Amino acid sequence: MADYTKYPLKFRVLKVLKYLRLFGLMRTLNKVRAAYHMQKKYSTLPNVKSGNTRAHVGIAGSGNFAFSTIAYYIQKNYGRVIQGAMDVDKNRAASLCENYSANYFTDNINELIDDENIDLIYIASNHATHAEYAIQALNAGKSVHIEKPPVVNDDQLGRLCFAMQNSKGNVGLGYNRPQSPLGMKVKAAVDREIGPMMINWFIAAHALEDDHWYFSPTEGGRVLGNLCHWIDYTLNLIPEKSRFPIKITPASSRKFQSDFVVSYEFADGSLAVITMSSKGHTFEGVAEKLNLHRGNVLLSMSDFETLTIKIDHHSRRYSNFYRDHGHEGAITRSYEMRAQSLDSKARESNVRNVWESANLMLRTKDAIERGETVTAYGYKIET
Ligand SMILES: NC(=O)c1ccc[n+]([C@@H]2O[C@H](COP(=O)([O-])OP(=O)(O)OC[C@H]3O[C@@H](n4cnc5c(N)ncnc54)[C@H](O)[C@@H]3O)[C@@H](O)[C@H]2O)c1
């Protein structure tokens, strides 16, 4: 994410005004606070004495998203329940801790894992550590919310699923779009129809500098870092029995590491194309357009802000006052899920969902990197 605190004053004022319109006062203020949080350097790290006896949540990775979105929605919905904030950069952990009245900050994940007062850890660190921290937490009987992507390779996916099967803790993923009000309306509209679907996404994402950490060889690049959102949402639109095998065909230029065109052919003949372009600065944040056709439904959605659903001669338009990508829903869902005791069938179903979405993401990366068609299979189906 760009450091907007260093941009000219006029740009910053215009950006704040635009965000006020798109996200409302409180989220905009918090995004501004997050920009300063990212720059915070203490001359002496603070001595924290929150004395917060109700706290039971850990945060692993205290960067922009943890500060601006995860901690914000946790506090908004449940009050001061953050026990410990962790980051390899202690300044960030300390700043998040101070701003959200947590009881301590640390640069050592084991402090959160060994803390008996913590029953849920939100993981928003670098991508290569998501699964490793999640596995450690699950093995200690804790629940986790894992930001996207849940894994960066097949080895992590296998170990994560094994830990999920054998832990009393639960797993929520940071895929927020299915939790958004318009995302749910889209799903309900397509579920009422029958037959294959035609799905088309156009996404204009932020351009990232070449040395951004997303591009480090161990972090998985932008298929795992960004495209995974639309891969997961698209997979979930297709009825479970109609999904596999999925033929993934890329049409991307290998000259660019953030621009993709990739198509999916599902078992029932449904077709999806995801186009992601990252050419420059997207002033209003990520822009995303969905067009979808199934049976008699033709729908079109922009930025999780407006949605038009046409069925025969009826046309209905939905418009949210603010953009809502479902972040609050995903964060509260993981919080509520921690207390649920799942039977073995529900646990197996969670494992299958995590595996199938992550496997489709990993196979998409393979297809794009190799420039060839790759087939993704369902959970426990021999390839
Ligand atoms: N769901 C969404 O819409 C959404 C949006 C943005 C980011 N994210 C995800 O949130 C996570 C954080 O992204 P961000 O934008 O805040 O990035 P960021 O760079 O602002 O924050 C990442 C933080 O992780 C810390 N970190 C690095 N290595 C670490 C390690 N080994 N252990 C613990 N912490 C470590 C860094 O110091 C940094 O503070 C990423 O997984 C990202 O994909 C999700």
Side-chain angles (χ1 to χ4, degrees):
M1 182 65 81
D3 175 8
Y4 292 123
T5 62
K6 302 219 163 58
Y7 277 53
L9 181 64
K10 185 176 169 199
F11 179 96
R12 282 182 284 155
V13 170
L14 288 174
K15 184 107 181 153
V16 166
L17 290 175
K18 180 49 92 177
Y19 271 52
L20 281 170
R21 169 63 201 92
L22 293 177
F23 298 107
L25 178 65
M26 297 312 287
R27 276 208 82 194
T28 302
L29 282 179
N30 210 51
K31 280 173 186 279
V32 173
R33 282 171 69 213
Y36 287 95
H37 153 79
M38 291 300 285
Q39 305 313 316
K40 183 94 182 171
K41 293 274 176 271
Y42 293 88
S43 46
T44 315
L45 286 166
N47 204 352
V48 179
K49 283 204 182 68
S50 299
N52 198 345
T53 51
R54 288 195 317 120
H56 64 98
V57 170
I59 308 265
S62 303
N64 184 56
F65 191 71
F67 188 101
S68 67
T69 307
I70 295 178
Y72 170 73
Y73 281 127
I74 291 175
Q75 181 160 296
K76 176 178 169 224
N77 286 279
Y78 307 107
R80 297 175 171 187
V81 294
I82 300 174
Q83 164 83 343
M86 179 265 167
D87 198 291
V88 284
D89 179 342
K90 262 196 176 178
N91 288 287
R92 299 223 175 120
S95 166
L96 192 146
C97 179
E98 277 199 312
N99 277 279
Y100 289 97
S101 313
N103 282 329
Y104 62 87
F105 61 89
T106 175
D107 58 2
N108 182 354
I109 189 66
N110 292 327
E111 275 199 56
L112 303 187
I113 305 283
D114 295 340
D115 186 338
E116 287 180 358
N117 290 318
I118 290 181
D119 61 358
L120 169 65
I121 300 182
Y122 283 81
I123 301 170
S125 47
N126 62 315
H127 298 159
T129 54
H130 288 184
E132 306 302 337
Y133 290 168
I135 292 164
Q136 272 185 268
L138 287 165
N139 289 345
K142 300 184 193 306
S143 292
V144 284
H145 168 103
I146 316 176
E147 260 317 315
K148 48 86 182 167
V151 300
V152 293
N153 55 44
D154 290 302
D155 172 59
Q156 283 192 341
L157 182 54
R159 289 187 291 114
L160 175 65
C161 288
F162 183 79
M164 285 178 75
Q165 269 152 345
N166 293 291
S167 172
K168 70 175 168 65
N170 296 325
V171 173
L173 297 185
Y175 292 127
N176 43 277
R177 282 163 179 75
Q179 310 305 318
S180 70
L182 294 189
M184 286 192 264
K185 280 199 171 23
V186 169
K187 173 77 178 139
V190 299
D191 279 354
R192 282 193 289 270
E193 300 291 314
I194 52 167
M197 287 176 226
M198 190 65 89
I199 301 172
N200 193 306
W201 283 102
F202 183 88
I203 300 130
H206 299 287
L208 293 180
E209 323 77 72
D210 285 345
D211 62 352
H212 191 279
W213 63 263
Y214 272 37
F215 298 123
S216 303
T218 51
E219 304 289 351
R222 294 201 80 177
V223 174
L224 306 199
N226 297 101
L227 204 69
C228 60
H229 268 305
W230 297 278
I231 296 171
D232 176 81
Y233 185 79
T234 301
L235 177 66
N236 283 295
L237 288 177
I238 310 290
E240 276 183 27
K241 291 201 169 72
S242 308
R243 293 177 185 168
F244 297 101
I246 304 172
K247 223 158 79 179
I248 310 162
T249 305
S252 305
S253 160
R254 278 188 260 173
K255 281 191 208 145
F256 303 105
Q257 49 185 355
S258 296
D259 296 320
F260 311 110
V261 181
V262 60
S263 73
Y264 298 86
E265 182 185 343
F266 296 87
D268 70 345
S270 289
L271 296 174
V273 177
I274 308 180
T275 303
M276 180 174 128
S277 164
S278 310
K279 299 287 185 210
H281 181 72
T282 48
F283 190 70
E284 298 188 2
V286 176
E288 45 196 311
K289 313 280 175 219
L290 168 69
N291 285 300
L292 193 153
H293 196 189
R294 185 184 200 197
N296 294 323
V297 158
L298 183 59
L299 65 80
S300 169
M301 182 176 61
S302 278
D303 304 324
F304 290 86
E305 196 179 352
T306 58
L307 166 67
T308 304
I309 301 180
K310 294 182 182 172
I311 307 174
D312 298 325
H313 60 285
H314 299 287
S315 177
R316 186 119 197 228
R317 189 165 190 278
Y318 301 89
S319 179
N320 282 346
F321 194 72
Y322 295 128
R323 268 185 202 178
D324 186 344
H325 291 94
H327 289 117
E328 186 167 14
I331 288 157
T332 54
R333 187 183 57 164
S334 294
Y335 187 91
E336 303 299 340
M337 205 195 270
R338 84 195 190 288
Q340 288 167 11
S341 153
L342 301 181
D343 61 22
S344 59
K345 207 168 152 211
R347 192 162 291 283
E348 188 64 15
S349 160
N350 274 358
V351 173
R352 196 189 69 217
N353 289 338
V354 167
W355 190 91
E356 289 184 342
S357 166
N359 182 56
L360 186 59
M361 165 189 83
L362 292 170
R363 301 294 71 83
T364 300
K365 181 168 183 276
D366 289 346
I368 288 173
E369 283 176 358
R370 292 186 208 148
E372 64 185 34
T373 297
V374 168
T375 303
Y377 295 90
Y379 185 52
K380 288 189 175 163
I381 294 175
E382 292 301 316
T383 58

